[in-house]
Amino acid sequence: MKLQQLRYIWEVAHHDLNVSATAQSLFTSQPGISKQIRLLEDELGVEIFARSGKHLTHVTDVGETIIEMAGQILREVDTIKQVAQEYSNEKEGNLSIATTHTQARYALPAVIKDFRTRYPDVVLHMNQGSPTQIAELAADGEVDFAIATEGLELFQDLVMMPCYRWNRCVVVPAGHPLIDKCRASGQLRLEDVAEEPIVTYVFGFTGRSRLDTAFGRAGLTPNVVLTATDTDVIKTYVRNGLGIGIIAKMALDEDKDADLVALDASHLFEPSITHIGFRRGTFLRRYMYDLIERFAPHLTRDRVDAAIACATRTEREALFADEQLPER
């Protein structure tokens, strides 16, 4: 059994059983991969992949277990490499992050810019996706960090730590009737918001569940006419008169969005908390600790290590229960 063979079965399984695509990604030949997989199956005495002719059709039951174990072994190998690299050159390496558009576009740029100044030889990779995709990338070891607000139940196998609280605003074009209603009542009212066509996030993205909860508790049915994962798309359709936008307050750019009027909605919705996390067992290099602290200053190396030491999610939540998180 060779590490190369384990790499092949892992990669094939994560390329939808497409051996040709796997070969391209690994810069090797398709026949070479197929041969090594067959040799491994012959050595183990079981089929990892079921076949129809020359085509792989699905992963067998025993194959699922073997591929999962192969992934664990490959991650341990990567950890060994990282440990060695940390001692040979602590300021070189790779760092990959999976997050949503809103975090990548509005919460991370200043942090990344500062990080790049300090670590110019660290190559950064940014992956955007849904909470499900983010969780899968982190759990599979495809990325180092996951940053998410929604769907935390998907991240049970990760060490997730709270970073900051944030809330929402309603954005409308200048002269919109909702502005006068807000002034007349002294603050934005949920029933007034519910009467308008709404453009906001897709359910499961960027704190959307808090919106649905608030409307549900008030016995109101919001008139959501368009949803998007991208805050800039939401603002574009607000400008085009499709409806009012409900967005993360941090996603409002005072210069670029000067044509829109922002109405505070933090009293209408429960605040959301953005978390950062990584797969348990990940070897955190010095620059990885540094990025975490730059993104969330209260998450010092000692606090991160304390979170890693927690045996359960409940223990970890208790660790941060009294933390006064910053507001964005």
Side-chain angles (χ1 to χ4, degrees):
M1 187 184 307
K2 303 174 183 177
L3 281 174
Q4 181 190 55
Q5 294 171 330
L6 299 182
R7 174 70 68 186
Y8 286 167
I9 63 172
W10 172 262
E11 292 293 342
V12 166
H14 288 79
H15 280 83
D16 297 322
L17 308 187
N18 188 323
V19 180
S20 178
T22 303
Q24 290 180 2
S25 70
L26 295 177
F27 303 101
T28 188
S29 68
Q30 180 176 341
I33 290 179
S34 298
K35 178 182 178 180
Q36 290 301 319
I37 291 176
R38 277 295 193 187
L39 288 174
L40 178 60
E41 289 177 324
D42 290 343
E43 180 182 347
L44 297 177
V46 296
E47 281 194 337
I48 297 172
F49 301 103
R51 295 166 174 80
S52 176
K54 294 183 178 180
H55 299 287
L56 306 183
T57 58
H58 63 274
V59 180
T60 64
D61 290 342
V62 66
E64 292 279 2
T65 301
I66 292 171
I67 289 170
E68 182 180 351
M69 296 177 70
Q72 294 173 0
I73 292 169
L74 292 170
R75 287 192 289 269
E76 290 297 329
V77 171
D78 288 340
T79 297
I80 292 172
K81 293 177 180 178
Q82 290 170 359
V83 170
Q85 192 171 20
E86 176 69 9
Y87 283 92
S88 62
N89 195 329
E90 63 185 30
K91 291 191 174 184
E92 287 185 7
N94 292 274
L95 180 60
S96 53
I97 301 168
T99 189
T100 61
H101 168 268
T102 299
Q103 299 295 329
R105 170 70 176 80
Y106 296 102
L108 281 167
V111 175
I112 296 300
K113 181 180 180 181
D114 187 38
F115 180 85
R116 285 286 301 149
T117 300
R118 183 172 175 80
Y119 301 99
D121 295 322
V122 174
V123 180
L124 288 162
H125 307 276
M126 191 76 70
N127 301 266
Q128 296 180 45
S130 68
T132 300
Q133 292 167 331
I134 294 168
E136 288 175 351
L137 286 169
D140 289 343
E142 299 294 321
V143 298
D144 299 302
F145 293 144
I147 299 175
T149 300
E150 291 279 3
L152 292 182
E153 69 280 357
L154 302 168
F155 298 83
Q156 296 286 355
D157 295 332
L158 304 183
V159 178
M160 298 297 288
M161 301 169 293
C163 298
Y164 63 88
R165 296 178 183 272
W166 60 269
N167 217 310
R168 298 144 192 84
C169 65
V170 170
V171 290
V172 298
H176 193 282
L178 195 58
I179 300 172
D180 291 332
K181 288 183 179 180
C182 183
R183 287 171 180 164
S185 59
Q187 62 180 4
L188 193 63
R189 300 191 310 166
L190 196 61
E191 52 266 37
D192 291 333
V193 174
E195 291 176 355
E196 299 287 341
I198 296 171
V199 184
T200 191
Y201 301 107
V202 173
F203 186 81
F205 273 79
T206 318
R208 167 65 191 276
S209 61
R210 293 285 198 271
L211 272 65
D212 296 290
T213 298
F215 284 115
R217 285 176 178 171
L220 299 170
T221 302
N223 179 24
V224 178
V225 296
L226 185 143
T227 62
T229 60
D230 186 324
T231 308
D232 294 328
V233 170
I234 294 172
K235 289 185 285 190
T236 294
Y237 281 98
V238 170
R239 290 185 173 98
N240 288 337
L242 197 66
I244 66 172
I246 303 179
I247 64 173
K249 191 183 298 184
M250 62 182 167
L252 189 74
D253 187 311
E254 293 184 359
D255 295 325
K256 294 181 180 179
D257 300 324
D259 58 325
L260 296 176
V261 176
L263 305 175
D264 180 45
S266 58
H267 59 289
L268 300 180
F269 308 108
E270 289 290 325
S272 293
I273 299 177
T274 293
H275 290 71
I276 188 170
F278 46 85
R279 181 175 38 80
R280 187 175 291 280
T282 297
F283 175 72
L284 296 179
R285 299 188 62 186
R286 184 173 303 180
Y287 62 73
M288 297 169 77
Y289 279 107
D290 198 6
L291 180 75
I292 294 173
E293 189 169 355
R294 287 169 188 273
F295 187 60
H298 63 282
L299 293 179
T300 62
R301 182 167 187 150
D302 288 344
R303 293 288 275 169
V304 172
D305 287 343
I308 294 172
C310 293
T312 65
R313 178 180 174 181
T314 301
E315 284 185 27
R316 201 156 47 248
E317 290 175 348
L319 177 67
F320 295 105
D322 298 325
E323 191 74 50
Q324 294 297 313
L325 299 177
E327 301 272 349
R328 289 193 182 179

